[in-house]
Amino acid sequence: MAEVKIQAESRTEFGKGAARRIRRDNKVPAVLYGHGSDPVHITLPGHDTMLALKTANALLLIEVEGGESHLALPKQVQRDPLKGFIEHVDLVIVKRGEKVQVDIAVHLEGEAVSDTLVVLEHPTILVEAEATHIPDGVTVSVEGLEVGAQIHASDITLPSGTTLAIEPETLIVNVTAQQTAEQLEAELSEAEAEAGIEKDEKEETDEAPAEEPVAAAAE
């Protein structure tokens, strides 16, 4: 994986107010940490950071203005839940040749036999690889698989230098029988019936007559 060079600025202001001012300037507050060093608070250019982080496990070469350069991987990226822009980035410092554990994507190719449903149980798998040689993902073929076929983590061919960091028997792909229209309709009817029973029971509870007040004794 190629390194993406990003110019950063040292950051001395902290807190929500400072973060808002940074983001208004189209920049991103971030922190670098790892290898026993003190956290380094920096500001990243917004557009360059957004483009770099479109790639999973992007390897960044952070060049701090007037300071040192650091190789880093994104550890946590906070985004605005509505607009999607990057609010803050945690970066972990790595060294060349160092082994790291990361999640990589599982891509499916091919087609199983007709009337089957291919279920991707884990869209990513945890692997260990050199920080400078993290694979973009792995490709798993489901071509010609029949009902009942399963692919476990140990069945996946990993790139050279990459090893599994999860249990080998972890189920990744499961091939099941595709439901017919009749089966889907039957399940829907059953679900509606169950919901109707619950609704009726609730209505009966809500509509239960209240106890009549005791008539006041005549004076």
Side-chain angles (χ1 to χ4, degrees):
M1 180 181 294
E3 301 168 11
V4 179
K5 186 183 296 185
I6 295 184
Q7 300 291 335
E9 302 171 2
S10 296
R11 178 162 56 98
T12 56
E13 287 187 308
F14 308 100
K16 293 182 178 179
R20 282 195 293 269
R21 287 192 293 273
I22 290 171
R23 289 192 286 267
R24 278 199 298 268
D25 290 337
N26 193 30
K27 297 178 181 179
V28 179
V31 62
L32 274 164
Y33 62 91
H35 285 278
S37 61
D38 293 331
V40 179
H41 298 275
I42 57 176
T43 299
L44 304 175
H47 182 69
D48 291 347
T49 303
M50 179 191 67
L51 291 179
L53 296 183
K54 284 185 176 180
T55 301
N57 302 314
L59 181 63
L60 309 178
L61 178 59
I62 306 296
E63 295 186 339
V64 183
E65 183 181 8
E68 299 179 348
S69 297
H70 302 277
L71 274 180
L73 291 171
K75 183 68 174 178
Q76 184 177 27
V77 180
Q78 297 177 18
R79 298 180 183 271
D80 181 271
L82 297 178
K83 298 182 179 180
F85 62 81
I86 300 174
E87 294 185 320
H88 188 275
V89 181
D90 286 354
L91 300 167
V92 59
I93 298 171
V94 296
K95 303 295 183 183
R96 297 186 189 279
E98 175 186 6
K99 293 275 190 177
V100 295
Q101 290 190 356
V102 293
D103 285 305
I104 61 173
V106 177
H107 305 289
L108 300 183
E109 68 174 8
E111 294 185 4
V113 300
S114 60
D115 298 327
T116 58
L117 179 65
V118 178
V119 181
L120 182 59
E121 301 286 353
H122 285 84
T124 63
I125 57 172
L126 185 66
V127 299
E128 185 173 86
E130 286 189 15
T132 54
H133 293 85
I134 298 174
D136 294 330
V138 291
T139 300
V140 177
S141 175
V142 296
E143 183 66 33
L145 294 185
E146 300 180 348
V147 174
Q150 294 184 331
I151 298 175
H152 297 85
S154 58
D155 301 320
I156 296 176
T157 301
L158 298 174
S160 177
T162 303
T163 57
L164 278 178
I166 57 175
E167 293 297 328
E169 63 271 17
T170 301
L171 180 61
I172 305 300
V173 178
N174 191 24
V175 181
T176 63
Q178 192 174 55
Q179 288 183 307
T180 64
E182 291 76 10
Q183 289 173 323
L184 287 173
E185 185 176 351
E187 283 190 6
L188 179 60
S189 299
E190 184 178 352
E192 289 177 345
E194 291 178 356
I197 292 172
E198 293 176 359
K199 182 179 178 181
D200 290 342
E201 290 176 349
K202 185 177 184 302
E203 288 177 350
E204 289 177 5
T205 302
D206 293 343
E207 296 175 4
E211 293 184 3
E212 295 183 0
V214 178
E219 294 182 356

